[in-house]
Amino acid sequence: MKGIVFTEFLDLVEEKFGLEVVDKIISQSELESEGAYTAVGTYKFSEMLQLLQHLSTHTNIEIDDLLLVYAEHFFDVLKQSYPGLLATYKDPIEMLASIENHIHVEVRKIYPDAELPTFEVLEKTSNSLVMIYKSSRSMHHFGLGLMNKTFEHFNSTATIELEKIKEDGTEVKFLINKN
Ligand code: HEM
């Protein structure tokens, strides 16, 4: 997992819960990196999972809810870091339907070792989209947060339902309907 995902996560934890909580979740985890992340480095996903688990225990907030809020913050980071990628799109459905064949393809050019999910489009109309998310990392709520923000970016909103295909969240169907 890319370092930017860790650095932005710990920045947000500090902003919302304070530096003591950042120190606490780092010291409770067994981290090869020892919690020293650089934006351009690459670290094990298991480190992120431990940080999330300890933050969840400390705050009594479910990991999925933490990922949702984090993704909403991360969208703004992506928007600032890759303005050109977003500028290609005029419509949220078009943008979300292009994650697999365009957006994450570009991401892989920048970071060849990025660990990305796959999104398979099953159905698409001008106002709706059905996609299957697949990833061993089960970060579907991170996807949900990015989707919410994608609609907001285009001054729009949507109703998004998740249906787990696999109980462990490694395969999830997203049913997206523009409001
Ligand atoms: C992960 C880039 C848009 C879904 C990531 C990562 C990067 C990235 C750098 C981390 C990879 C790693 O840690 O190795 C971008 C950029 C985008 C964009 C530059 C737009 C400009 C989106 C959108 C979605 C999405 C709109 C909406 C569904 C995800 C998910 C992950 C991810 C779910 C987590 C990894 C996983 O589930 O396996 N993306 N992304 N991305 N991205 Fe995107």
Side-chain angles (χ1 to χ4, degrees):
M1 174 159 270
K2 295 312 297 175
I4 191 170
V5 184
F6 288 88
T7 53
E8 289 297 333
F9 175 71
L10 292 175
D11 280 358
L12 187 65
V13 173
E14 181 178 345
E15 187 191 311
K16 302 268 184 203
F17 305 108
L19 197 52
E20 325 75 72
V21 177
V22 173
D23 289 343
K24 184 176 171 166
I25 62 173
I26 287 176
S27 61
Q28 286 176 330
S29 305
E30 281 173 31
L31 307 174
E32 232 171 75
S33 69
E34 297 181 348
Y37 301 104
T38 67
V40 291
T42 303
Y43 308 91
K44 284 192 180 152
F45 173 67
S46 61
E47 296 204 359
M48 177 54 72
L49 203 54
Q50 288 186 71
L51 294 168
L52 281 165
Q53 271 156 355
H54 290 125
L55 183 63
S56 171
T57 307
H58 178 80
T59 57
N60 261 322
I61 302 171
E62 303 244 358
I63 288 183
D64 280 352
D65 292 327
L66 291 171
L67 279 174
L68 180 73
V69 172
Y70 175 41
E72 294 184 351
H73 166 80
F74 197 67
F75 187 87
D76 293 334
V77 175
L78 294 176
K79 211 161 118 169
Q80 277 171 24
S81 310
Y82 309 99
L85 261 181
L86 288 173
T88 327
Y89 297 97
K90 292 181 183 63
D91 175 85
I93 300 272
E94 289 301 330
M95 177 169 150
L96 294 178
S98 307
I99 299 168
E100 185 67 19
N101 297 329
H102 174 233
I103 294 179
H104 279 172
V105 174
E106 294 302 315
V107 172
R108 195 167 293 292
K109 290 183 195 165
I110 308 167
Y111 305 120
D113 57 354
E115 295 178 296
L116 298 164
T118 63
F119 282 99
E120 183 196 350
V121 176
L122 294 189
E123 290 168 41
K124 177 175 172 284
T125 71
S126 56
N127 291 310
S128 71
L129 185 64
V130 179
M131 293 201 288
I132 308 269
Y133 161 91
K134 283 188 201 170
S135 166
S136 60
R137 289 164 292 284
S138 299
M139 288 175 72
H140 41 83
H141 270 62
F142 188 76
L144 180 61
L146 292 174
M147 288 180 191
N148 286 335
K149 278 293 210 176
T150 300
F151 280 91
E152 195 184 300
H153 173 74
F154 294 100
N155 297 314
S156 171
T157 59
T159 304
I160 304 176
E161 276 175 72
L162 275 69
E163 276 175 15
K164 276 191 186 170
I165 297 170
K166 290 201 175 149
E167 199 45 52
D168 63 4
T170 55
E171 265 189 63
V172 177
K173 187 188 262 188
F174 280 84
L175 300 112
I176 305 163
N177 283 289
K178 206 167 167 180
N179 293 324

